Amino acid sequence: MQEDSRPLVRSRQRVSDHGEVFTPRWLVDDMLDLVKDETERIDSRFLEPACGSGNFLVPVLERKLAAVQMRYGKSDFERRHYALFGLMCIYGIELLPDNSVECRDNLASAFAQALKLKFDDELLAAARAVLAVNIVQGDALAMTDGNGAPIVFPEWGYLGRGRYQRRDFRFDALTQRSASSGTLFDAFEEHEIFSPVRSYSPMTVNQITNGSDV
């Protein structure tokens, strides 16, 4: 295993002000191994409420992408689209703006490296569009974003043939739903509080990139 040389703290001031301490990679891997089957499921959803720069989320993505390669590596079309779906199932909230930006960048870099994407690849642009809404700068305890508005997360689904479904839910509603059903976005008979705040028509990679809401 390659030694993780990144510092565990950025500054004493940030530790004092925000309790910011980064988890070393070896410990992250040990913790993820406790839920190994879930980390290797392409459609399993992970939410890190204090995601920092992606210390947990990047390894989760790497495991998902390895599963995509194993199952769909013989078809470039399926591999690319299922890889994007795996990324869609990763969520984060981060209080500090610089960390949230770095988290998105680190996830995008891991995605591009695993799929050997060029910087102008349409799939990478779609991945960045997904990360812009899946990784939220805000307060997980208050359930509000950086502007003080309620946090909203998209629920993504892959419909096959290169088309994706998106529905947006308020985070505070999802936490109530999780308490009732077990995990975020679990399906059961929906009360009004669990209804999406917005639904989208099926979208292609290009439409995700261009922010289509048709």
Side-chain angles (χ1 to χ4, degrees), residues 6 20 46 54 66 110 133 139 150 163 176 180 182 184 186 196 198 201 205-206 213:
R6 290 174 298 177
E20 180 188 67
F46 281 80
V133 291
D139 187 331
R163 298 175 71 81
Q176 295 180 52
S180 302
L184 296 182
D186 268 356
R198 187 174 184 181
S201 298
V205 166
N206 178 266
D213 59 358

Side-chain angles (χ1 to χ4, degrees), residues 9-21 96:
V9 299
R10 292 183 191 267
S11 71
R12 292 183 179 180
Q13 190 64 48
R14 287 169 73 108
V15 174
S16 175
D17 291 346
H18 306 290
E20 180 188 67
V21 178
L96 302 179

Side-chain angles (χ1 to χ4, degrees), residues 3 13 23 35 41 51 70 85 122 141 145-146 150 152 161 173:
E3 186 67 24
Q13 190 64 48
T23 309
V35 288
R41 272 183 50 210
C51 64
M70 182 177 297
F85 180 48
E122 182 183 58
L141 293 178
D145 63 20
V152 173
R161 299 185 178 182

Side-chain angles (χ1 to χ4, degrees), residues 22-74:
F22 296 101
T23 309
R25 178 62 186 256
W26 67 266
L27 182 55
V28 170
D29 287 333
D30 283 351
M31 294 173 71
L32 292 179
D33 282 343
L34 297 174
V35 288
K36 187 173 184 293
D37 290 345
E38 289 299 308
T39 63
E40 295 173 353
R41 272 183 50 210
I42 300 168
D43 62 345
S44 62
R45 293 184 172 91
F46 281 80
L47 167 64
E48 172 54 63
C51 64
S53 58
N55 288 41
F56 276 90
L57 297 184
V58 169
V60 170
L61 176 61
E62 290 172 349
R63 292 179 181 219
K64 284 177 172 288
L65 295 179
V68 169
Q69 179 62 35
M70 182 177 297
R71 297 174 194 177
Y72 301 104
K74 294 182 178 179

Side-chain angles (χ1 to χ4, degrees), residues 29 60 67 79 91 94 106-107 143 158 161 165 170 174-175 194 199 202 206-207:
D29 287 333
V60 170
R79 180 177 63 91
Y91 301 86
E94 170 54 34
N106 287 340
L107 285 164
M143 301 187 190
Y158 184 45
R161 299 185 178 182
Q165 182 72 61
R170 281 180 48 154
L174 289 174
T175 56
F194 302 126
S199 296
N206 178 266
Q207 289 170 324

